[in-house]
Amino acid sequence: GGGGGGGGSVNTRDVQTSLLKLMEDAEVSLGPASTEQARGLGKPAANESSRRFSTRHVLWICSGAFNTMHTQLEAQEERQDASLAAEQAAIAEEGTKEGTQAQLKSKRRLLERARTTVAAEMLVGAGLEPEFIGRLPVRVRCGSLSESDYVDILLKSKASVLNQLAEDFRGYGIDFTISESAVRLIARQAMAQGTGARGLVTVVEGIFRDIKYELPSAGIAHFFVDDEMIRDPDAGLRVLFGRNAKSGTREEGGGRGRARTDESGRG
């Protein structure tokens, strides 16, 4: 995707034109038929010097982000909402009319359905070629991630940054438990960055950067992550050192390599 095509953008006409044939039905050469043939040790089959692949049954999935389209769509939706609100107000003044109310509800449903896709002319206006768009008949508009989406990514994704962090600590024999409220706080901080799920990595790395370097030499085998540690990691680290100094002993950690969540607020 891009902001509108032109210049050095990946949406240039040449790039899109090169993809057109591939997207409809093409025979693509995959190189020599075998390693031996590639080295000149074998003979290709008659009338077939290389392996070929047909794109006839390939499912093409493309995604992109467009700098100005989001603003245009928001303005369009605001106008539509204002129009519906005006119609609703007019109906209220005239008195309830069942037929008119049903038409209004039907119009709103149609608008909501239309908001799940993007019109071809908007994509063309953003820099995509009509021929390119024509080969992508199903177009879906993606919405922004919610706080719950970020939480699910943190807790349910196999490649979750929290699980990666747990693996890092596991290498030093350290285990940690994180409260549900702390996970949600991380999610809100990532949302505020406006960079999608990538923001989770930035936030988590920023919180635990110093903790990862300091804890391995502190004799701490388990620690609990709460809201206060998320808000002020330096203060949280000082608290961990203080508690460890008072106990004077090394705690026993689970070391299972997965970040555990705790809904009660304690680990």
Side-chain angles (χ1 to χ4, degrees):
S9 169
V10 294
N11 282 341
T12 57
R13 182 182 180 87
D14 290 343
V15 173
Q16 295 179 61
T17 301
S18 299
L19 290 172
L20 294 181
K21 183 59 180 177
L22 292 177
M23 295 175 69
E24 56 181 12
D25 183 8
E27 291 286 334
V28 183
S29 174
L30 299 181
S34 67
T35 304
E36 289 76 14
Q37 291 177 18
R39 295 174 179 173
L41 303 177
K43 295 182 179 180
N47 301 323
E48 186 178 0
S49 60
S50 65
R51 292 174 295 173
R52 303 185 71 79
F53 174 75
S54 173
T55 64
R56 175 178 296 181
H57 302 297
V58 172
L59 174 63
W60 296 89
I61 301 177
C62 308
S63 66
F66 302 88
N67 296 336
T68 59
M69 190 182 296
H70 180 70
T71 303
Q72 294 172 353
L73 288 170
E74 281 189 341
Q76 182 185 75
E77 291 174 2
E78 287 178 1
R79 293 192 297 270
Q80 293 170 344
D81 290 337
S83 176
L84 282 176
E87 290 186 42
Q88 184 70 50
I91 292 173
E93 290 180 2
E94 296 174 2
T96 303
K97 295 181 181 180
E98 186 174 344
T100 307
Q101 289 281 10
Q103 291 178 1
L104 194 61
K105 289 181 180 179
S106 177
K107 183 182 293 187
R108 182 171 291 279
R109 284 196 297 269
L110 289 173
L111 281 177
E112 290 175 352
R113 187 180 305 170
R115 290 177 181 181
T116 63
T117 185
V118 178
E121 55 266 26
M122 294 197 74
L123 292 170
V124 173
L128 296 179
E129 295 297 322
E131 296 84 357
F132 185 82
I133 295 300
R135 287 166 171 76
L136 299 170
V138 179
R139 295 180 287 273
V140 178
R141 177 180 169 188
C142 298
S144 301
L145 295 174
S146 67
E147 180 180 318
S148 296
D149 292 328
Y150 281 94
V151 170
D152 285 344
I153 293 171
L154 282 170
L155 299 181
K156 299 179 181 179
S157 171
K158 292 182 180 179
S160 165
V161 64
L162 283 182
N163 288 335
Q164 294 176 29
L165 182 69
E167 289 291 343
D168 291 342
F169 278 116
R170 183 188 179 192
Y172 297 101
I174 302 173
D175 189 22
F176 74 89
T177 304
I178 184 169
S179 70
E180 183 178 0
S181 60
V183 172
R184 291 197 170 276
L185 186 54
I186 291 174
R188 286 194 290 272
Q189 291 184 6
M191 283 184 65
Q193 294 197 5
T195 57
R198 299 179 186 87
L200 290 171
V201 176
T202 303
V203 171
V204 170
E205 286 296 327
I207 293 169
F208 291 95
R209 183 180 297 112
D210 291 338
I211 298 175
K212 284 196 297 183
Y213 285 115
E214 298 291 342
L215 284 195
S217 60
I220 296 174
H222 179 270
F223 65 99
F224 178 71
V225 181
D226 58 8
D227 295 19
E228 293 305 317
M229 181 173 286
I230 300 301
R231 294 192 182 95
D232 192 344
D234 291 338
L237 186 58
R238 290 194 296 270
V239 170
L240 285 177
F241 284 157
R243 289 175 180 171
N244 191 56
K246 289 180 181 179
S247 67
T249 59
R250 180 180 177 87
E251 300 176 3
E252 294 298 327
R256 292 179 294 180
R258 287 187 67 85
R260 295 177 293 169
T261 58
D262 180 72
E263 298 181 7
S264 64
R266 290 302 307 164

